Amino acid sequence: MLPMLSEFLLTEMNRLGAQDALPLHRQLYEALRRAMLDGKLGAGERLPSSRDLAQDLGLSRNTVVAAINQLSVEGYLASRVGSGTYVNESVPRALPGRATRRPGAPGGNGSVPTGRLSTRGLALSTTFCATELEVQPFTPGIADFSAFPLTLWQRLQNKHWRMTYPDMLDYNDSGGYAPLRRAIADYLRVFRSVQLDADQVIVTTGTQQSLELCARLLADHGDTVWVEDPAYWGAVKAFMATGLAIHPVPVDDEGIHPGTADDAHPPKLIYLTPSHQYPTGAVMSLPRRHQLLSTARAHGAWVLEDDYDSEYRFSGPPISSLEGLDNDGRVFYMGTFSKVLYPGIKLGYLIAPRPLAAAFKQAHYDLNRPGQMPLQAALAEFIEMGHFSSALRRARQNYGERRAALLDALKPVLAPGTEGPFISGAEQGLHLCLRLPATVDDAALAQRIAQQGLTVRPLSAYCLARHDLKGLVIGYGYAPLREIQRCGPVLAAAVRQALGTLPAEH
Ligand SMILES: Cc1ncc(COP(=O)(O)O)c(C=O)c1O
């Protein structure tokens, strides 16, 4: 290995070991990351083999492999079969423009100076940044906010501002406005089979804050979190921000599927989207749910259940929450108002197991200084008066029609029962996944589709450590029905062309 590089890595590791008492693999991970961000290991440069690194640094090979795996998961390194591991061309990546960034969108482009950020700050602002996406037909993750009953909402907000008394303007230490917590508890008990009372509800600014709170209070710096592979980037970023070691566990048709190799990375946290895996849409089967809960029990791990879009279930049997099966008090359940109301409302909820609810409220108060009581009061009334249910009913109807039109348009490209394209995850939510044969370059296909004024995302871009999944993540929430009817065949033609079943001029 280059003597200068090994010297740098050893110096950094010594510093980190003395300063933070991090385990060796974490020290090496931080040191390699710093080397890349400082340009000591340039984009495209080949990393010394794990054997050489281990020898030069006096470490075990397992320690080196653990650090390299983590950096690969986070997008710093890429492996090329037969030729080693390289620094990704996109390190460091710069922030994209703000206007069109969407959570959950992988990638990143553009260029801004990163200044004198911390190592963590650099990583957070330069990797896994949302791409600069046009919001246009099929962009996943976007609901149609034009249907939101704005006038009614304004009236309710005005009413609650008029009724506001000084206490309502203060920070709130009770986990949120009591009638809102009661309304959320009633909804979850009936519709999601969550076992709870209102005291366990903590109103947050959304899933992102719920995840950060769990990561901070349930795990220590360097602890391992299992995440689904492919994954929701918002969650990955929350775990990066809190200094956790991210261990990807593959997902199949029945949800996350940990094997014995994963047990070698014992988790403190397991993050899941069991009702509609993001982004494949897999529904976690009942046997898998029981298995997962007993794996969590065996490891003494907490389970973080992100139930982000269960309000929109279109077909198949109703899916209850994983929390409902938990007899052990180890599942933290979280939901959001981003999808049914609008993302800018910045309201979601975390359900903490009963024995931990008070500690979570206390820490939430001290870390986040929650407030927004008049907004929470307006939302409580919105739910209590049945407006939430009506908005949901209307939205379900609208999205259901759009989903049906998209499924219709995609029919000609499907080849069920073969290696050919099939659809996963269409039973629920605002997106589906068109799965493609592993030989298809889904990123190139998504780019070609973008030239037609449509936005889909390649499934491979959500993968952390695996290379076998190809497909397109397609949203039907944003565009009106007639747009989906018009653009669906264009999308289908582009897919068929990529699969070689349609001449280029079609
Ligand atoms: C898997 C998943 N979880 C949660 C969210 C929403 O989180 P928030 O409440 O932070 O808006 C999204 C939004 O796209 C998502 O895709």
Side-chain angles (χ1 to χ4, degrees), residues 130-478:
T131 43
E132 215 166 319
L133 283 175
E134 289 296 329
V135 177
Q136 49 194 11
F138 307 126
T139 307
I142 304 190
D144 179 3
F145 314 125
S146 66
F148 183 69
L150 209 54
T151 315
L152 169 69
W153 183 240
Q154 276 162 356
R155 218 174 39 239
L156 278 177
Q157 292 227 65
N158 290 343
K159 173 180 160 188
H160 284 279
W161 272 111
R162 273 198 308 276
M163 288 166 44
T164 288
Y165 48 93
D167 272 8
M168 295 280 279
L169 302 178
D170 204 349
Y171 300 128
N172 171 273
D173 64 357
S174 63
Y177 186 67
L180 178 60
R181 287 191 286 111
R182 276 198 297 275
I184 292 171
D186 291 346
Y187 172 80
L188 294 179
R189 220 178 283 119
V190 174
F191 291 101
R192 306 298 305 130
S193 310
V194 178
Q195 324 164 73
L196 82 164
D197 57 51
D199 278 348
Q200 292 169 256
V201 178
I202 298 163
V203 178
T204 63
T205 57
T207 302
Q208 209 61 23
Q209 189 175 67
S210 302
L211 287 169
E212 284 202 16
L213 205 51
C214 288
R216 288 209 168 102
L217 295 190
L218 302 172
D220 287 311
H221 192 84
D223 280 346
T224 297
V225 54
W226 282 5
V227 297
E228 298 164 321
D229 191 5
Y232 170 51
W233 283 122
V236 174
K237 274 221 150 162
F239 301 136
M240 279 170 72
T242 41
L244 302 191
I246 294 157
H247 177 74
V249 178
V251 163
D252 64 17
D253 294 349
E254 294 181 62
I256 195 168
H257 194 195
T260 42
D262 299 302
D263 289 330
H265 305 266
K268 198 62 172 280
L269 303 177
I270 303 176
Y271 166 76
L272 299 172
T273 46
S275 301
H276 192 230
Q277 200 276 327
Y278 192 89
T280 64
V283 175
M284 198 172 186
S285 66
L286 194 59
R288 201 58 77 71
R289 285 172 189 240
H290 285 298
Q291 248 168 38
L292 192 278
L293 287 173
S294 64
T295 303
R297 196 174 309 120
H299 285 293
W302 299 101
V303 177
L304 312 185
E305 177 175 14
D306 178 358
D307 205 17
Y308 64 104
D309 68 3
S310 303
E311 295 86 359
Y312 300 119
R313 181 128 193 103
F314 300 111
S315 66
I319 312 278
S320 299
S321 66
L322 178 65
E323 197 280 342
L325 297 175
D326 173 29
N327 298 320
D328 220 15
R330 65 178 64 252
V331 176
F332 282 73
Y333 175 95
M334 53 196 81
T336 178
F337 289 103
S338 286
K339 305 275 178 193
V340 181
L341 302 182
Y342 55 97
I345 193 169
K346 294 300 298 162
L347 285 176
Y349 42 86
L350 172 67
I351 313 305
R354 204 163 281 118
L356 292 181
F360 263 70
K361 282 180 194 172
Q362 181 65 52
H364 182 41
Y365 178 74
D366 287 323
L367 287 170
N368 301 321
R369 297 277 187 264
Q372 298 182 315
M373 288 298 109
L375 178 67
Q376 293 192 25
L379 179 55
E381 183 168 341
F382 189 78
I383 298 174
E384 281 160 5
M385 300 303 288
H387 302 307
F388 182 78
S389 307
S390 321
L392 195 50
R393 231 182 352 261
R394 272 194 309 275
R396 249 189 228 130
Q397 167 82 20
N398 270 337
Y399 296 140
E401 288 167 357
R402 296 171 195 195
R403 165 188 170 272
L406 175 60
L407 285 173
D408 250 10
L410 291 176
K411 252 187 213 142
V413 305
L414 303 182
T418 68
E419 292 293 291
F422 67 98
I423 283 173
S424 68
E427 295 80 12
Q428 176 170 315
L430 300 177
H431 76 271
L432 55 78
C433 195
L434 177 66
R435 309 286 283 273
L436 298 170
T439 47
V440 174
D441 181 345
D442 56 358
L445 176 56
Q447 263 171 21
R448 274 203 299 282
I449 290 170
Q451 286 161 10
Q452 314 264 4
L454 308 175
T455 299
V456 294
R457 295 209 193 103
L459 178 59
S460 59
Y462 295 88
C463 292
L464 299 175
R466 58 197 292 186
H467 304 284
D468 58 329
L469 283 191
K470 296 289 162 55
L472 299 176
V473 182
I474 308 172
Y476 47 81
Y478 168 70

Side-chain angles (χ1 to χ4, degrees), residues 85-156:
T85 304
Y86 291 79
V87 179
N88 229 328
E89 292 293 347
S90 51
V91 171
R93 294 185 199 159
L95 275 173
R98 289 201 144 259
T100 51
R101 293 167 68 193
R102 302 301 310 172
N109 53 16
S111 155
V112 296
T114 45
R116 299 173 67 187
L117 298 175
S118 65
T119 311
R120 176 170 33 200
L122 266 179
L124 286 171
S125 59
T126 56
T127 56
F128 302 151
C129 294
T131 43
E132 215 166 319
L133 283 175
E134 289 296 329
V135 177
Q136 49 194 11
F138 307 126
T139 307
I142 304 190
D144 179 3
F145 314 125
S146 66
F148 183 69
L150 209 54
T151 315
L152 169 69
W153 183 240
Q154 276 162 356
R155 218 174 39 239
L156 278 177

